[in-house]
Amino acid sequence: QVQLDESGGGLVQAGASLRLSCAASGGTFSHYAMNWFRQAPGKEREFVAAISGSGSSIHYADSVKGRFTISRDNAKNLLYLQMNNLKPEDTAVYYCAARTSYWGEVDFWGQGTQVTVSS
């Protein structure tokens, strides 16, 4: 059982930056592809970014490409999401997620961290 604990959310103004972190425990971190998802009020949860276990493969949603950067530190069991040039439409609860296969079902979810971007 992998446990995921996100941190780093907050309230910022448009154009600001935030870095989210996700600490993993209870499993072999490098065995999992890791993802960030987000869910805005009244909307479905959506994919934001993915990174393979080794970090060699990375994908982004078109809405964040060029502004967000996903990375991981397998030695520290940490996943990151650097978010730059934030926009009000980035306001959402951000979740980290672990998948056994890169585009397979999500095996484990974190509890989420709130990001609010004011205009």
Side-chain angles (χ1 to χ4, degrees):
Q1 185 80 4
V2 174
Q3 294 179 320
L4 303 172
D5 185 18
E6 302 96 333
S7 61
L11 170 63
V12 296
Q13 290 189 328
S17 297
L18 276 177
R19 188 176 82 157
L20 305 183
S21 299
C22 173
S25 60
T28 303
F29 184 61
S30 61
H31 287 184
Y32 292 92
M34 297 300 297
N35 299 256
W36 289 99
F37 287 79
R38 67 186 182 186
Q39 188 166 19
K43 295 187 177 181
E44 293 188 355
R45 193 172 298 189
E46 66 175 1
F47 167 79
V48 174
I51 186 168
S52 62
S54 65
S56 59
S57 293
I58 288 175
H59 289 82
Y60 297 99
D62 287 344
S63 58
V64 306
K65 206 170 291 183
R67 300 187 298 120
F68 290 12
T69 303
I70 189 172
S71 62
R72 65 190 299 160
D73 184 337
N74 286 345
K76 296 181 179 179
N77 290 359
L78 287 169
L79 174 73
Y80 302 104
L81 185 68
Q82 177 67 43
M83 306 185 293
N84 297 329
N85 190 23
L86 282 160
K87 303 176 180 181
E89 52 263 43
D90 295 318
T91 295
V93 177
Y94 284 71
Y95 299 90
C96 73
R99 306 198 226 204
T100 303
S101 60
Y102 196 77
W103 293 120
E105 293 289 322
V106 171
D107 296 290
F108 304 104
W109 291 97
Q111 83 288 348
T113 185
Q114 176 72 47
V115 172
T116 304
V117 184
S118 64
S119 57

